[in-house]
Amino acid sequence: MLETSGRLLRLLSLLQAHRDRSGAELAAHLGVSRRTLRRDVERLRALGYPVHADRGTAGYRLGAGTTLPPLLLDDDEAVAVVVGLRTAAGGSVAGIEEASLRALTKLERMLPARLAYRVSTLHTATVRAGTAPAPRVSADTLMAIAEAVRRRERLRFEYASPRGGRGVREAEPHSLVSFDRHWYLVAWDTGRADWRTFRVDRLTPRTPTGPRFAPRELPGGDVAAYLAHRLSSRTWPYQATVTLHEPAAAVADRVWPGMGVVEPVDEESCLLHLGAESPRDLAWMVTSVDADFTLTEAPPELADALRAQAARCLDAVRDT
């Protein structure tokens, strides 16, 4: 009995790790006959695992069923799931905290001592600091947007502007993006005939969704880069573009999300597009990248701010 149970677990692990396995391959791996393999497959089906026979390959695959049977996780997968559930329990998506805690409790009770120690060590040594609590968004709202994106259906929603006004918008949703503690919808705004980004925590979907639409090509094709560019320059009163005299790959790690967007030019230079509340902030951001640069498109106040910063630095080292 124990030998059979152990073999079933090995069979299940093989099916979960690989989508399609031939019957001969599975039988050889388990060291059993094809007849014994067929009996083991029937036992898994009786336990609720949807094992399907593939006639074209004379093999088996594990499909989706109507219920969720137990999963087999290796050590790294188990640790990853626990860490993910703890993050979800304290994350920005409202309505999933209780479910995350329930799942976390069940999983932690089953962890072997060696894995429990790893998870506990990581948890006790980790402190979240330096970021304000993220705005909460509804899981139902995220799912409604995701469904509209997948089905390519127009989305109607109420939207609260940063200034407090509310209005109904209609858009062709392109992507749902989690970026720097916020969720954003990137979409073609049909009323304004242009691409727009919307904060999901300010958005309330209306039902039903609108008609289907043909997908449009997003400017640049990269939704993450597009969103970063919009967020770094769209609302700032002072904006600038500087040429950095280093390749884009060399400076990419020095530009944090939301600070600006790096645009490759050639093997020796790139452009940095950024925005800020004041010329002094722009000057600090540009010099913090620690690269030689030239002002390409910038307000006159930025040059004055850079001169003032340079003078302060010279004064600080004049007598050293």
Side-chain angles (χ1 to χ4, degrees), residues 210-221:
R212 294 190 173 226
F213 61 88
R216 301 174 187 268
E217 185 175 351
L218 185 72

Side-chain angles (χ1 to χ4, degrees), residues 64-115:
T66 57
T67 60
L68 181 64
L71 300 176
L72 291 181
L73 303 175
D74 63 27
D75 288 6
D76 290 338
E77 291 169 343
V79 172
V81 171
V82 170
V83 173
L85 287 171
R86 281 184 170 167
T87 302
S92 62
V93 182
I96 67 170
E97 305 94 329
E98 184 178 347
S100 299
L101 289 173
R102 289 200 309 269
L104 180 60
T105 300
K106 292 177 182 178
L107 184 57
E108 287 187 326
R109 286 174 180 169
M110 300 178 63
L111 288 178
R114 66 182 187 280
L115 297 186

Side-chain angles (χ1 to χ4, degrees), residues 219-234:
D222 187 329
V223 65
Y226 172 80
L227 180 61
H229 185 272
R230 293 295 297 264
L231 296 179
S232 65
S233 61
R234 179 185 58 182

Side-chain angles (χ1 to χ4, degrees), residues 57-174:
T57 60
Y60 299 94
R61 62 182 175 85
L62 192 62
T66 57
T67 60
L68 181 64
L71 300 176
L72 291 181
L73 303 175
D74 63 27
D75 288 6
D76 290 338
E77 291 169 343
V79 172
V81 171
V82 170
V83 173
L85 287 171
R86 281 184 170 167
T87 302
S92 62
V93 182
I96 67 170
E97 305 94 329
E98 184 178 347
S100 299
L101 289 173
R102 289 200 309 269
L104 180 60
T105 300
K106 292 177 182 178
L107 184 57
E108 287 187 326
R109 286 174 180 169
M110 300 178 63
L111 288 178
R114 66 182 187 280
L115 297 186
Y117 175 78
R118 289 176 60 186
V119 170
S120 177
T121 299
L122 179 61
H123 180 64
T124 56
T126 303
V127 177
R128 294 187 65 183
T131 58
R136 309 299 299 279
V137 299
S138 164
D140 290 340
T141 297
L142 290 176
M143 287 303 302
I145 296 173
E147 280 293 318
V149 171
R150 184 179 66 85
R151 295 177 180 177
R152 295 176 180 172
E153 293 177 345
R154 284 192 181 183
L155 191 66
R156 298 176 63 247
F157 53 91
E158 293 184 22
Y159 193 69
S161 71
R163 299 176 180 84
R166 295 188 68 89
V168 177
R169 310 285 283 270
E170 185 168 327
E172 299 174 358
H174 180 281

Side-chain angles (χ1 to χ4, degrees), residues 1-20:
M1 182 65 181
L2 290 176
E3 179 183 351
T4 301
S5 298
R7 192 174 65 245
L8 287 179
L9 290 175
R10 293 198 302 274
L11 173 57
L12 180 58
S13 180
L14 289 171
L15 291 171
Q16 288 183 166
H18 303 276
R19 180 172 178 82
D20 299 288

